[in-house]
Amino acid sequence: MSGNFLIYGANGYTGELITRYAVERGMKPILAGRNAIEIEALAKKHHLEYRVFSLDEAYRIDQSLQDIEMVVHCAGPFSITSRPMVEACLRTKTHYTDITGEIAVFESMAAFDQKAKDVGVMVMPGVGFDVVPSDCLARHLKDRLPTATHLSLAFYGKGSRISHGTQATMTMNVGKGGAIRKDGKITSVPAAWKTREIDFGEVTKTGVTIPWGDVATAYHSTGIPNIEVFTVVPPSALNMMKMSRYLGWLLATGPVQDYLQKKIPPGGPSDAERAKGRSLLWGEALDLNGNRVESRLHGPEGYTMTALAALNITQKILDGNFTAGFQTPAKAYGPDLVLEIEGTSRQDVT
């Protein structure tokens, strides 16, 4: 291996941001994707090597990964794209990471645990905002209360907005309801199943349950069998989530999906918007004896944190700091991993 890494989907909003941050840190990723014109232009801009291939030809993927040590997979929706890429990584003995937040993807990646161990590579989905900060917070709470049986997590993106890719994935999953983990099992619940007031430290907001990736990953990281994840949404979005309980079947149809996807604006938050944005997280763990611990985490804006976290983990893997098999960020690197990101702080609430 040559110690290099490949960013697939480098021409997308988050892929381009990770590329830019990598170059600023003196790293030399190989850029890849299926759009030859955009990939070539981005590579020339940063004086990087590039490769063009789609994910529907296993031979082409294998050929492109033969000399690659690890992949940062940024081309969603990951429910469609993750499997062909991770299978190619296992065939070519290439470490796999991605920036997914989809529960089903985390669980499908976990099923590759033994195969990854057999070939000596690490499979770690969710190396960005989904789910590094929340996963580390979950592990921290578990360490504070080893007897914990219930975990609640929440996040609030203050002063920013979501990218085209994120909104496209959310739109694709609209009408599918919510999810929690109950007694160790991922359990379907209605959309906007529960709300609660959450004190993020800087501000108190109403959070609503969503099927966030931690419903999958926090269990692997902590073993806590009951998990709920909340986020803050505008009142109009909350009302729409509740309406989707009854109109979900319609929202999931092809014509409606086509219409909704076409309405999504391109790109994502500008550099100025990201600079002003902040990520506020909160967590609580309880046990059956009535013991309770609470902690908060504050950090950079979500996409900024994604780029920084992904590259931090990339450098660790390239340095040989990895554990073969399926891993979550906090399971592999501990709860303080997120504190390595500049501008991140954690507070235990007493």
Side-chain angles (χ1 to χ4, degrees):
M1 292 292 184
S2 57
N4 58 11
F5 69 105
L6 180 143
I7 301 174
Y8 189 81
N11 55 310
Y13 175 81
T14 308
E16 190 278 331
L17 185 62
I18 293 173
T19 298
R20 181 150 43 106
Y21 275 45
V23 172
E24 289 175 1
R25 284 154 179 73
M27 304 172 84
K28 294 287 186 180
I30 295 172
L31 308 186
R34 65 179 184 176
N35 188 316
I37 295 175
E38 292 184 5
I39 290 295
E40 181 180 6
L42 185 62
K44 287 183 176 179
K45 176 181 178 181
H46 294 293
H47 308 289
L48 298 172
E49 182 184 341
Y50 71 94
R51 299 172 186 183
V52 177
F53 60 94
S54 67
L55 298 178
D56 55 5
E57 295 178 286
Y59 173 75
R60 289 288 306 279
I61 310 174
D62 291 359
Q63 196 174 40
S64 299
L65 298 186
Q66 284 297 331
D67 61 339
I68 300 297
E69 186 163 349
M70 68 162 291
V71 166
V72 183
H73 182 37
C74 300
F78 296 96
S79 57
I80 297 172
T81 66
S82 61
R83 190 175 188 90
M85 180 61 85
V86 76
E87 288 179 341
C89 285
L90 294 174
R91 289 192 299 267
T92 57
K93 298 183 180 180
T94 304
H95 299 290
Y96 173 90
T97 66
D98 70 30
I99 54 171
T100 191
E102 300 170 65
I103 292 173
V105 175
F106 286 114
E107 292 300 289
S108 66
M109 294 298 102
F112 288 108
D113 179 55
Q114 189 57 53
K115 288 184 179 180
K117 289 177 179 176
D118 291 343
V119 298
V121 301
M122 186 163 76
V123 171
M124 182 182 286
V127 297
F129 186 80
D130 312 10
V131 292
V132 171
S134 46
D135 192 52
C136 288
L137 186 59
R139 181 68 240 184
H140 177 69
L141 290 163
K142 172 66 174 181
D143 289 349
R144 291 186 65 199
L145 185 62
T147 55
T149 55
H150 292 72
L151 174 69
S152 295
L153 299 167
F155 64 95
Y156 171 43
K158 185 179 180 183
S160 188
R161 58 190 175 92
I162 61 176
S163 73
H164 176 276
T166 303
Q167 192 167 341
T169 299
M170 293 171 61
T171 300
M172 188 175 70
N173 291 318
V174 69
K176 294 185 179 179
I180 61 170
R181 194 177 282 272
K182 183 178 180 181
D183 298 329
K185 303 292 185 181
I186 295 175
T187 304
S188 296
V189 295
W193 176 64
K194 183 189 292 187
T195 60
R196 65 179 291 175
E197 293 301 300
I198 298 168
D199 183 0
F200 289 98
E202 294 183 10
V203 65
T204 298
K205 291 283 186 178
T206 300
V208 58
T209 48
I210 60 167
W212 193 250
D214 294 278
V215 172
T217 55
Y219 180 69
H220 294 285
S221 300
T222 69
I224 298 175
N226 300 286
I227 301 169
E228 299 171 358
V229 183
F230 297 79
T231 193
V232 177
V233 299
S236 58
L238 178 58
N239 290 334
M240 183 62 69
M241 290 171 68
K242 292 179 178 179
M243 286 179 59
S244 72
R245 299 175 185 174
Y246 313 103
L247 298 175
W249 64 271
L250 176 62
L251 298 173
T253 59
V256 175
Q257 277 290 309
D258 289 343
Y259 172 79
L260 294 175
Q261 293 287 348
K262 289 176 182 178
K263 288 292 184 179
I264 300 173
S270 66
D271 288 352
E273 288 173 318
R274 288 189 299 100
K276 293 178 181 179
R278 295 283 291 162
S279 298
L280 309 182
L281 292 97
W282 166 93
E284 168 193 79
L286 311 169
D287 71 10
L288 296 178
N289 296 319
N291 298 305
R292 176 182 179 274
V293 292
E294 178 182 356
S295 298
R296 303 185 186 113
L297 186 73
H298 294 172
E301 181 271 345
Y303 291 102
T304 300
M305 184 172 282
T306 288
L308 295 175
L311 290 173
N312 184 23
I313 291 172
T314 294
Q315 191 62 62
K316 291 180 185 299
I317 295 172
L318 296 178
D319 289 342
N321 181 4
F322 65 87
T323 302
F326 168 78
Q327 302 292 333
T328 61
K331 182 180 179 182
Y333 299 116
D336 294 345
L337 170 69
V338 69
L339 299 182
E340 297 174 11
I341 297 174
E342 184 178 356
T344 303
S345 62
R346 187 176 63 210
Q347 175 191 16
D348 295 334
V349 181
T350 58

